[in-house]
């Protein structure tokens, strides 16, 4: 399966410690990465996966939908065990996402 670019997605938060709430999603509110209870109509929870490539591979960059027209463009970044929002730089390996069919939790 291949992800369609420029389609809106929700990204589920998988808690490290169970706190009794379920259905939490990553969101961007006031330019900050946060976690909110799932609401399919909340545009702060919408994400866009964009196809990109370099000389060695094809990958995705993930941007918050509600900030798609901001300058600089923002992207989801995972580095040193931390998830964050940073200005998009396609040279940053920590902003390149590769699709996998393997589930994180079964």
């Amino acid at each position: 399966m291949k992800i369609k670019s420029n389609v809106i997605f929700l990204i589920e938060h998988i808690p490290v410690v169970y706190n009794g709430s379920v259905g939490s999603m990553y969101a961007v509110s006031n330019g900050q990465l946060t976690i909110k209870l799932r609401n399919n109509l909340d545009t702060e929870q919408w994400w866009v996966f964009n196809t990109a490539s370099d000389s060695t591979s094809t990958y995705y960059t993930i941007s918050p939908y509600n900030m798609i027209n901001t300058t600089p463009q923002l992207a989801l970044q995972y580095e040193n065990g931390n998830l964050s929002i940073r200005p998009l730089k396609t040279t940053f390996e920590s902003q390149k996402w590769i699709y996998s069919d393997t589930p994180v939790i079964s």
Side-chain angles (χ1 to χ4, degrees), residues 15-89:
V16 175
V17 178
Y18 181 74
N19 64 2
S21 64
V22 293
S24 297
M25 299 294 173
Y26 285 103
V28 175
S29 180
N30 298 319
Q32 301 291 316
L33 185 65
T34 188
I35 298 169
K36 296 171 103 180
L37 289 177
R38 183 179 184 141
N39 178 350
N40 293 351
L41 301 177
D42 181 0
T43 59
E44 291 183 347
Q45 297 179 32
W46 295 357
W47 298 87
V48 178
F49 289 45
N50 297 296
T51 304
S53 62
D54 57 26
S55 60
T56 59
S57 63
T58 299
Y59 57 90
Y60 297 93
T61 59
I62 304 173
S63 299
Y65 175 82
N66 64 336
M67 301 187 79
I68 205 83
N69 294 320
T70 61
T71 302
Q73 177 65 51
L74 300 177
L76 191 62
Q77 177 173 313
Y78 181 79
E79 188 170 27
N80 298 324
N82 295 304
L83 199 57
S84 61
I85 288 291
R86 299 279 189 246
L88 175 64
K89 295 200 183 222

